[in-house]
Every structure is written in structure tokens, then in C-alpha cells.
Amino acid sequence: MLRLTEVRLGLNHRETELKAAILRALGIPGPELLGWHIRRRGYDARKSGEILLVYTLDVEVKDEAALLERLQHGHHVTLAPDETYRYPVRAPANPKTRPVVIGTGPCGIFAGLALARMGFRPVILERGKSVRERTQDVWSLWRERHLNPESNVQFGEGGAGTFSDGKLHTGIKDRGHHIRQLLKDFVDAGAPAEILYISKPHIGTLRLVKVVEQLREKILELGGEIRFESRVTDILVEDGDVQGRTSAAGGRMPRAAAVRGVTLAGGETIAADHVVLAVGHSARDTFEMLYRRGVHIEPKPFSIGFRIEHPQHLIDVCRLGKHAGNPVLGAADYKLVHHCRNGRDVYSFCMCPGGQVVAATSEAGRVVTNGMSHYSRNERNANAGIVVGITPADFGSHHPLAGIGLQQQLEQQAYVLGGSNYNAPAQLVGDFLAGRASTGPGSVIPSYTPGVTWTDLSTALPDYAIAAIREAIPAFEKQLKGFAMHDAVLTGVETRTSAPIRIARNENFESVNMQGLYPAGEGAGFAGGIISAAVDGMKVAEAVAQKIIQT
Ligand code: FAD
């Protein structure tokens, strides 16, 4: 198989033109080409007004060696690399121990799937409900203002990204071909095949729900076990709590302690020497339990801000010009960053073209925003987080969980500003910049349900964050005309951008002071987004499998 890069064609080219372009690039007649498939499709919009599709293709020809010999000085044809992902070990016929995975977000699902494929029959515990039942609970907050603290946008099968845009791109490197494997798993589970090759793939909420169900079936078929409504409330630790002790050099060293199992909310205990902790960034009660148990936790930077909504058409025209609305390109996105005079960085986060702003709290009496869309991305508004980076120095305390305290305070304040009924506080961008309260919508109708309360958002975040966002919005206008439009809507607050903690782990992915505990994914501070969390889950599963084989 050969890999052919840099095949460029007009945006509206016909299917047959692609084959003709391959033949041209390789300089061969039609019968010499045995087959081909698209490995990657991006687009190049650098020429003003012109957009070209840029293909990388894997092609099969009759005489590969002769073609390579002939094109050896060309840069665009090489042997296609082997991108097969390989599981590193295989479990013995009857493994003595079953690993436990806590959480069925992308990290837990892919850790579980990898362990199941290697033959380790994991037991997977999820505090929330199965994805169908969970969907009812999510709607119940969005429609009836009723929150189920155990089954919501953050908790339940599929994890935090289930009611999302399902964006599947990531900045992480993929030397071990984990991403390729998991995208194939997504496609086998019902995701559109294009996610394997388009540059910014996404699935959308409705399809994600089906994909999650199929992945569950796969794990069960392979001998795994999944238990819903099974909240882990404690870990069983050998040698009692992890206490500090004094090393020969006089420094404090953690005493070796090991996890021996978990306790569930009903009191049941499950013995396990290997526990993958894939609980996501909202499992605040679990973090407190781990802290009490002495597991080493550090505070970590995260971001706070608002969601902003514009008409999607405005973004399309600004980004795609005359090609706005072209179905090949779909609804346009954006990515913006501004470095402020006060030293803060403001950036767009989790941009959802043609989507809606969602109520994403998991705790009663709190309001948190986020964004989602369906596969079609055809809702009226574009939304994105506009967030300010903060560090532990902003948390107001050196306590490892201080960032959680700050999140809770802001979320509670937003609940009160919204009217204490799960409405989100909202303000028009023009009013926010002018420093006056809003009293109602303009041309952009906010999509957040159950509803918004028009107010002044300047008290919703610390002063430095408000100042930074006030400076950033006009700066973004220079990059994206219309961004600072008076009627664009800000909704607050966006606080769950990533985990405010990191559960430190060693080079074998184990907690630095609790053997057998494997902190993983976004909640442990090692991922941000669906793909990076899933890849982290796979890598942790590999580490667990290797450890089990060695012991
Ligand atoms: P999570 O997905 O948070 O999963 C953790 C799981 O653990 C949950 O199911 C939870 O119920 C369970 N759990 C927690 N505590 C316990 C316990 N004590 N016992 C048992 N189970 C427990 N990312 C993208 O890449 N693209 C997007 O388009 C995107 N959109 C998003 C939209 C929304 C509305 C939200 C909320 C997030 C979005 N994200 C998106 C972020 C993405 O969802 C997360 O990065 C990702 O889900 C993290 O995966 P995870 O498996 O580490 O944790």
C-alpha cells in the first residue's frame, strides 16, 4: 500500500475527479490502480475566496516497487506506514484477579474495552444510569428544572461528553496508533465512517448515545461486567491510611500502601488489586474521599468564564465567505486566543457550531454552562466558552482541593444570579462591555434551557476575569468580524473546563503513593476532551495488564 499526499481539488469536485487526480499524481493508467481510500481530508482556505480540499490517500497499485522506484525523488508518494494498534499482552487462560474500572466516560469505556480485549474481564462501576435512562434525567433538568445529582450531563453512562458536540479532534500525538484504533471502534459502533479521515470529525449527541450503547455491548460480549447506579464511596487500603514517614535524609516519604478494593454506596465491597480511577472532573465527593485516604493530589490550573452565542450564519460568512453554507464544509467553527494586559489569557473553549448551550450542573443549587450539538449542526446559534486561564495562586488557599471550592462558589453565585431556579444568568455582549445590566434579548435568542435571567454578569466572576473578558471580546472582533455584536449573548458560568486537581501518578500510571490505584482521564488531570481521555484510558489499561501479568 502506498501513501499519496497533497492531492488538491476544488471544493465542489465530483467523485470521479478524485480518481483522475490520483492517476495523474502517480502517472499511471487506470488499470494499474487496484484500489484506494481516503486517509485524511482537510481544506486549505489560504487563498482569498478559494477553498481547496486537500487529500491524503492510501492507494494500491499493480507494481508498487516499480512505481516507488520511478517516483523516488517525489515527496508525495511513500510506502503507507503500518498504523495498526496492537494490545501489548494477553491475559492467561484464567486470570486470578479482575481489574475494577470506576467510571464509564470515554476514559473508563476505552480502559474497559482494552482490558476486555486483552482477556482481563474488567468490572466497570458507574454511579449514574445507562445512557437511555440517563437521557430522561438530563431532559428533566432542561425541561422541568429537576436535577438528579447522580444522573445528569456529568454523570452516567458515556460520561461528560455524551450530551456534547462530540468533537473528536485532539492535539495529542498518536505514536502508538491509539487514536486510529478508537476511531475505528467508534465507526464499528455506529459513528459515521468519515470520522476516520476528515480533519475535524464530530459525532453529535444523538449518535453518541447509540455509539456508547454499542461499545457497552462489545465489552459485555468480551466478558466484562458493567454495573450502573454503583457509586464508589471508598477505597479499601492495605496498611491503613497512607501516612507520611521520615526518610533517612530527613524528608517526608509516603509509606507504601496498596488498594485492595472499593466500597459502593450501598455498603457492598468489591475486592480488587488494580483499580482504574476514571471518574471525570466533576466527581468532587470522590476526590474528597481520596484526599481523606491520603492519595497524593495536587491543585492544577483550569479556566473560568462564560458561554457566548452568535448567529451561526455570522460565523459561517466570516470564516467561509462565499462558501458559507457549503455542505462539504458544514457549519464553521473558530478558535480564538487573546493575551490580556493583566497577564491573563482568554480563549475560546469547546466551540459548538450550530448547537445549543446546556445546563451542565451535577450539584443541586448550582448553575454551570457547556455546549452541545447534533450531528447536523443546524441549530441557529454558534456557541463557545470564552474562558480565562487561572492557576492555584487564584484559588485563595493552598489546600489541594481549593480549586473545587472556587468552582462551587462561582456555580452557586450563578444559581442565585439566575433566580435560584436553574435559570442561567445572561447578558448581551453590548451591555456587558458597557457595564449595564440587560433586561431582555435582542436578535440572538439564547438557547439555554430551562431559561435565562437577564442581569449584570460583572459579579459572576472575579474582577480580573471580568476585566480580561471585557478586553478580549473587542480583540476577538478584529479576528472575527461581528464577534462583539451588541446582541450576542453571554451565559454564565463556565467552570468545568478541566479538572482543578491532578492525582499524581508514576511512569507506570500508578498513583505515586497508592499501589494498584491508576488515576486516569480528565478527572485525574491527564486529559482534556473525549479523545485524549479515551487514549489515556487505553494506555492505563495497558499498564494494568502488564502489571497483572508480572505479578
Ligand atoms: P467523564 O466523561 O467525566 O466520565 C467520568 C464518569 O465517571 C462519569 O460517567 C461519572 O458518572 C463516573 N463517576 C464519577 N465518580 C464516580 C464514582 N465515585 N463511582 C462510580 N462512577 C463515578 N470533549 C470533546 O473532546 N469534544 C466535545 O465536543 C466535548 N463537548 C462537551 C460537552 C459537554 C456538555 C461536556 C460536559 C463536556 C464536553 N467535552 C467534550 C469534554 C469531554 O466530555 C470530557 O473531556 C471527557 O468526557 C472526559 O472523559 P473521562 O472519561 O475522563 O471523564
Side-chain angles (χ1 to χ4, degrees), residues 234-237 240-242 288-295 514:
D234 206 353
I235 51 172
L236 306 174
V237 178
D241 288 356
V242 185
E288 273 168 28
M289 174 274 287
L290 294 167
Y291 177 72
R292 279 198 309 276
R293 282 278 169 210
V295 174
M514 181 72 68

Side-chain angles (χ1 to χ4, degrees), residues 88-165:
V89 295
R90 178 80 211 152
N94 288 309
K96 285 190 230 99
T97 174
R98 290 181 84 176
V100 160
V101 176
I102 313 177
T104 60
C107 181
I109 288 181
F110 278 89
L113 184 60
L115 285 165
R117 283 209 174 114
M118 289 184 276
F120 290 97
R121 301 175 55 239
V123 177
I124 306 178
L125 304 169
E126 167 56 56
R127 69 193 296 161
K129 299 182 187 171
S130 67
V131 69
R132 294 275 154 183
E133 287 178 88
R134 177 189 180 198
T135 305
Q136 305 299 319
D137 293 325
V138 168
W139 280 107
S140 161
L141 174 64
W142 294 355
R143 287 185 179 151
E144 292 149 31
R145 303 173 193 274
H146 175 77
L147 173 77
N148 180 340
E150 292 301 326
S151 177
N152 46 59
V153 167
Q154 308 290 348
F155 295 157
E157 188 183 21
T162 310
F163 303 91
S164 82
D165 186 36

Side-chain angles (χ1 to χ4, degrees), residues 78 87 100 154 164 173 180 261 284 324 390 423 438 448 453 464 473 475 497 512 516 525 533 538 551:
T78 51
Y87 292 98
V100 160
Q154 308 290 348
S164 82
K173 300 236 166 5
R180 191 78 191 144
R284 294 164 173 172
I390 63 171
N423 267 15
S438 293
Y448 182 98
T453 299
Y464 61 79
I473 291 176
T497 48
V512 291
M538 289 172 81
T551 49

